[in-house]
Amino acid sequence: MASAQVKFEAKVSKKKLGINERLRIDFEMNEDGDNFVPPSFADFDVVGGPNTSVSNYSRNGKRSYSKTYSYFLAPKSRGNFTIKQATIEIDGETYKTFPITVNVTAAVNAPNGNATASDVASENIHLVAEVSKASPYLNEAITVVYKLYVSKDTGVSSWREKDTPRFNDFWSQNIDVKGFPVHTGEYDGEEYRYVILRKTVLYPQKTGPLKLEPLVMEVTVEVPSNRRDIFGRALLTRVPQMVTAGSRTINVKALPEEGKPSDFKGAVGNFDFKVSTSKTQLNATESLQAKIEVSGSGNLKLFELPKLTVPSSLEVYEPEHQENVRTNLSGMQGNISDTYTIVPQYRGKYPVPTISFSYFDLKTESYKRISSADIVIDVLEGPMAASATTENAADTTKQTVNTSTNTFAFIKTNSNWTPIKSEPFFKSTGFWSLLLVPFLAIPLAIIVRRKKDKRDADVQGNRIRKADRLAKKYLSEAKKALGQKESFYLALEKALHNYLKSKLNIETSDFNKEKIESLLKERQVSTEVVSEFISILENCELARYTPITQVTMQNDYDKAAYTISLIDKQLR
């Protein structure tokens, strides 16, 4: 009966909280015990505790006893996390609490306070996200600058990013910030010091309201206390503080349909366009290079260049794509080009048709088209594709020259010679070899059979090998499907999932980003490689709903192949 009355249970302040909030967990018992063992709190940082409180009183002859161990926790990331069991010994018996599942969401606007946080710190430090334009066009560059404002009466000794925003509906690139110089500015009409922590350039890939996730940072703030040193100066107290730049909504405008050219490929900005050749005079079977180039400022990496069209008598090879693009707070600047190699087969003059390039000019908010100049390729020497009479002849006749594909047809490349004297097959080397082969094949067949039985019995190994083959199969299918967005990303996602099946021994039903990240880190894969792998999976999900260029698909394929090779090298 005494054992049945013992209670030992875990209670949390809330089961759903933002990543910038604190969680309190209490382990309560109604009898005093020994050897209390808390859970590991692997998914949280312990920012306070354990604090112990004891209540022991009697009323109307009845004794009441309560003992509590309290912890204050800060979540490390978003997701669903389980706080495992705590144990304690009471009267020689071991008691355990029930596991508790907690849901950690994105940062909230009004987080609960830190038990040790100071109101002075929260009022004198602010994280602000400054957006260059709240209503851009589709594929127009905008910048987000994150500034940490600190009042003159306080200071900051350290900071770290707690939750980094994921710009799912944007093409994004971070701009390096060097040195973190301190500037002076105003916040809410008061003079503050501020530091620029992060600069990001964004190109929206969808229209309508798009949400920017907040940046959450954990900052150690130095605030003056009531204590003084021997010189009368206030002593500083270090206070951990969670700050967040509130989420922002960007209203992305669609490009106007009125006046949109038929050859518009999505270029937005201010560009120059030209088509040039390395030479205009050459002989047949010699080569020249034709270069299609777009330069200027805008979304240079997010559209395709116009294609080169030439007469069928000119042999054209696949172009070599080159990018010389730098990204700063103004967006992408530089040039991109496709270089084609052309080889003429016959003598004559070949005009290269005019190529046009259209883009949306943000300054005038209108479409513009640039056309290339006419180019004529003059092939001086080589076979004639046709013969013609003189210019003064009344009629003109042409005769096609059919070239032979087998230039050396008159030279025999094989013979049907037979030996003058033939040797008998009986007792020859081939005779004895064929006679011994069946006897040598028997032990080999036994070994092969045993290995096959052993392999068939290895159900786990067969499943892993099958998943590995499927990963290679889908990766090859993804390469074949380059240029077909849905087929490519479906095959790439299947390849990544089958690769995880073979390497981590998990089922498809268990797939989630948190578990994949945890398993890879347990197998000693570096954090950068794990983040790259997760970003590829996110790209596969995002690509189904956003326009994607062939260049982007090629980059995602190369990144997937490279990341898989890195995981193979690091996996333990």
Side-chain angles (χ1 to χ4, degrees), residues 129-184:
E130 295 184 355
V131 180
S132 62
K133 194 171 186 178
S135 183
Y137 278 105
L138 181 70
N139 268 314
E140 179 183 358
I142 61 174
T143 58
V144 183
V145 179
Y146 295 93
K147 296 180 179 180
L148 182 65
Y149 283 87
V150 182
S151 69
K152 289 187 175 182
D153 297 330
T154 58
V156 172
S157 60
S158 64
W159 68 79
R160 71 180 183 91
E161 292 187 3
K162 187 75 173 179
D163 190 26
T164 304
R166 287 168 281 186
F167 306 106
N168 293 329
D169 297 322
F170 299 84
W171 181 95
S172 63
Q173 181 168 331
N174 292 328
I175 307 299
D176 291 337
V177 178
K178 299 179 180 180
F180 300 106
V182 179
H183 306 276
T184 302

Side-chain angles (χ1 to χ4, degrees), residues 57-104:
Y57 64 93
S58 296
R59 178 179 295 176
N60 298 328
K62 293 184 179 180
R63 173 180 169 272
S64 176
Y65 178 85
S66 175
K67 185 176 183 179
T68 304
Y69 292 97
S70 300
Y71 292 83
F72 296 91
L73 309 177
K76 293 181 179 180
S77 60
R78 285 183 280 178
N80 291 319
F81 305 106
T82 300
I83 301 176
K84 297 182 179 180
Q85 297 172 318
T87 62
I88 196 169
E89 293 181 5
I90 301 176
D91 294 334
E93 296 286 338
T94 301
Y95 294 87
K96 298 180 180 180
T97 61
F98 288 104
I100 299 177
T101 300
V102 177
N103 180 22
V104 180

Side-chain angles (χ1 to χ4, degrees), residues 22 125 127 148 150 155-160 197 216-222 239-243:
R22 295 290 184 266
I125 184 168
L127 183 61
L148 182 65
V150 182
V156 172
S157 60
S158 64
W159 68 79
R160 71 180 183 91
L197 300 178
V216 182
M217 301 196 69
E218 192 170 30
V219 183
T220 302
V221 187
E222 296 178 341
V239 179
Q241 185 75 18
M242 197 76 66
V243 292

Side-chain angles (χ1 to χ4, degrees), residues 10-27 39 41 43-49 51 69-77 79-84 100-104 111-115 162 242:
K11 298 179 180 179
V12 293
S13 58
K14 55 175 66 178
K15 290 190 175 182
K16 183 176 181 180
L17 69 157
I19 194 170
N20 58 337
E21 293 187 283
R22 295 290 184 266
L23 176 71
R24 174 174 175 166
I25 182 168
D26 296 328
F27 299 97
F41 302 125
D43 300 310
F44 299 84
D45 291 325
V46 179
V47 296
N51 300 329
Y69 292 97
S70 300
Y71 292 83
F72 296 91
L73 309 177
K76 293 181 179 180
S77 60
N80 291 319
F81 305 106
T82 300
I83 301 176
K84 297 182 179 180
I100 299 177
T101 300
V102 177
N103 180 22
V104 180
N112 56 15
N114 187 335
K162 187 75 173 179
M242 197 76 66

